[in-house]
Amino acid sequence: MFDHETSPRPAWLSPRTLIIGASVSVVVLSLAIATLPMGKATAEETPPARPAPSVEISMPTTRTITEWDVFTGRFVAAEQVEIRARVSGYLNQVHFQDGQRVEAGDLLFTIDPRPFEAALAGAQADLVAANAALDNARAEAERGNRLLERGALAQEAADQRTRTLREAEAAYASARARKDQAELNLEFTEVRSPITGIVSDDFVNEGNLIVGGAQGGTLLTRVVQQSPIEFEFTASEADFIRYRRLSHSGTDIAVSGGEQPVSLKLMDETEFVHDGQLQFVDNRLDPSTGTMRARAVFTNEDAIFAPGMFGRLRLAASGEYQAILIPDAVVQTDQASKFVWVANRENIAEPRRVELGPIVDGLRVVRSGLQARDRVISSGTQFVMAGVAVAPKSPSAASSAQASLD
């Protein structure tokens, strides 16, 4: 057996040999690692950069415009009269065709005048008798005064003659009033149109007994004026306040009526082709609806408008000013705000929050948030992010977009 402590160690197990062997292994391993293809692993870990998205840009349009408000309303006749009988009697004749145009003073109906002619004759006879009694009383009073001056008549008798004269004067005045009333009643048997316009049909036919009077008179027909014609509409309290502020700021906008031009279109028209004037604005808001009543007037010489028709009225909501306009399609919504994408000078996409106005000739008015020199991204916004570079199309394409805006 060998003694462990005194047995000689093999030369290849010496510490020096072990250290040298380990060093050689490390070197060999490093060389092996260095020979591995590292390029493939790096390419997989770092993907290539994405190209900038291609977008179309266009410049906003600047134009002198006037903003308009549009209101829906209804036509009403400037003058409308219900023709009613003033006296009772049988209707003798109708003197018009249904729907005919009549002038002021034209005869429309005739009521049987014979009872009224007889009443007038009686009133005239009473007037003659009253006149004769007055003449007699006047003569007696004058004679009594002369007698009283000579002392040939008592004062009481002279006073009685004076009282008789006063009674005769009153009787004469009453008889004359009855005669005047009889003449009026006879005149009222001819029912005439008080205005020029279009008459409706006859509500009562010939031969019917009609009732006259200041109250409850039989309605015979109706006459409405055609030209001019009025258009009534209502504006909200907010609109009225805005018009007031514009008027006080010096803008040429009238809110009291009579000065402001307006235009109108009917329901089957696409343009506001009828010109008129704002005629009247009420002096108080309706507390139940919070609206202000207003009225415009239009000529209607061709009788195209009729009372009761609906229409849309356009009223200036601002003075003329230089506005910035863009296509409405480029406007996007971010929760409750509106914005557009803009490419800056470095072609970096930026969102611009904008305050919008109405649409004018197919373009949206931008009140604030955009300048005329800004380059608006009009196409390709689905690939755009804030702070990301974009590739605007060639100037020719941009010019085409600008031309389409103009």
Side-chain angles (χ1 to χ4, degrees):
M1 294 189 58
F2 295 98
D3 187 353
H4 179 72
E5 293 183 355
T6 60
S7 298
R9 180 179 296 174
W12 57 273
L13 290 177
S14 64
R16 181 184 180 90
T17 303
L18 292 174
I19 292 173
I20 293 173
S23 300
V24 171
S25 299
V26 170
V27 170
V28 172
L29 181 61
S30 299
L31 292 175
I33 293 173
T35 58
L36 291 176
M38 299 299 294
K40 183 176 180 181
T42 303
E44 292 178 355
E45 294 174 1
T46 307
R50 296 176 59 184
S54 177
V55 296
E56 292 184 2
I57 61 172
S58 58
M59 307 296 289
T61 299
T62 57
R63 186 186 306 169
T64 301
I65 68 167
T66 299
E67 294 186 17
W68 304 91
D69 286 335
V70 178
F71 302 95
T72 300
R74 185 191 296 270
F75 285 100
V76 296
E79 292 186 6
Q80 176 175 307
V81 179
E82 291 184 342
I83 307 299
R84 295 181 180 271
R86 295 188 180 186
V87 292
S88 301
Y90 286 93
L91 186 62
N92 269 5
Q93 191 174 359
V94 177
H95 298 276
F96 65 89
Q97 298 292 328
D98 296 348
Q100 172 187 339
R101 175 181 173 83
V102 296
E103 302 292 331
D106 284 354
L107 182 61
L108 303 179
F109 300 92
T110 298
I111 300 172
D112 186 4
R114 291 173 297 177
F116 302 97
E117 292 172 347
L120 176 59
Q124 289 173 338
D126 292 341
L127 180 61
V128 172
N131 188 37
L134 176 60
D135 290 341
N136 183 60
R138 186 178 293 118
E140 289 295 325
E142 292 175 354
R143 185 180 303 109
N145 291 333
R146 290 195 299 269
L147 293 174
L148 180 63
E149 292 175 357
R150 295 198 300 251
L153 185 67
Q155 182 66 46
E156 182 180 356
D159 293 343
Q160 179 61 40
R161 292 187 183 190
T162 301
R163 288 193 294 271
T164 301
L165 174 61
R166 299 290 180 266
E167 292 174 357
E169 289 175 344
Y172 175 80
S174 177
R176 186 175 59 184
R178 290 193 300 271
K179 179 256 185 184
D180 292 341
Q181 182 62 54
E183 287 180 342
L184 281 177
N185 290 339
L186 180 61
E187 181 181 343
F188 291 156
T189 60
E190 293 183 345
V191 181
R192 300 180 180 273
S193 174
I195 63 171
T196 298
I198 304 298
V199 65
S200 183
D201 56 343
D202 53 325
F203 301 159
V204 180
N205 299 326
E206 298 174 358
N208 284 281
L209 178 63
I210 59 178
V211 177
Q215 296 180 350
T218 302
L219 179 61
L220 303 178
T221 188
R222 184 180 294 109
V223 180
V224 295
Q225 188 183 63
Q226 292 289 309
S227 180
I229 194 168
E230 297 174 349
F231 183 85
E232 288 190 349
F233 64 97
T234 57
S236 67
E237 182 176 352
D239 289 334
F240 180 74
I241 293 174
R242 177 160 51 87
Y243 291 141
R244 283 290 191 189
R245 295 191 187 281
L246 288 172
S247 179
H248 293 164
S249 66
T251 304
D252 188 19
I253 291 180
V255 292
S256 58
E259 300 177 1
Q260 184 68 24
V262 295
S263 55
L264 179 138
K265 68 176 181 178
L266 299 177
M267 291 305 179
D268 62 340
E269 295 173 337
T270 58
E271 300 294 334
F272 294 87
V273 296
H274 307 286
D275 297 325
Q277 277 198 336
L278 186 66
Q279 181 191 55
F280 163 80
V281 176
D282 207 350
N283 57 5
R284 63 186 291 273
L285 287 166
D286 187 342
S288 61
T289 61
T291 58
M292 177 68 76
R293 187 169 61 94
R295 184 171 64 234
V297 61
F298 294 85
T299 59
N300 191 26
E301 296 178 355
D302 54 358
I304 189 173
F305 306 133
M309 289 177 58
F310 281 97
R312 294 177 64 82
L313 179 137
R314 186 175 68 173
L315 176 64
S318 73
E320 289 189 347
Y321 70 97
Q322 284 290 116
I324 296 177
L325 302 101
I326 59 175
D328 195 46
V330 306
V331 179
Q332 301 192 30
T333 302
D334 181 11
Q335 294 181 350
S337 61
K338 303 290 185 179
F339 72 95
V340 296
W341 288 104
V342 174
N344 63 16
R345 294 182 178 181
E346 290 77 24
N347 291 334
I348 303 299
E350 297 179 354
R352 293 282 182 86
R353 298 192 182 278
V354 292
E355 180 184 353
L356 303 179
I359 293 180
V360 177
D361 296 334
L363 298 177
R364 175 68 70 174
V365 174
V366 179
R367 299 193 189 279
S368 63
L370 202 62
Q371 303 295 326
R373 62 179 180 272
D374 289 331
R375 301 187 300 166
V376 178
I377 300 177
S378 58
S379 179
T381 55
Q382 66 270 27
F383 306 111
V384 174
M385 297 179 62
V388 175
V390 294
K393 287 193 175 181
S394 61
S396 58
S399 299
S400 300
Q402 173 66 19
S404 66
L405 283 177
D406 296 337

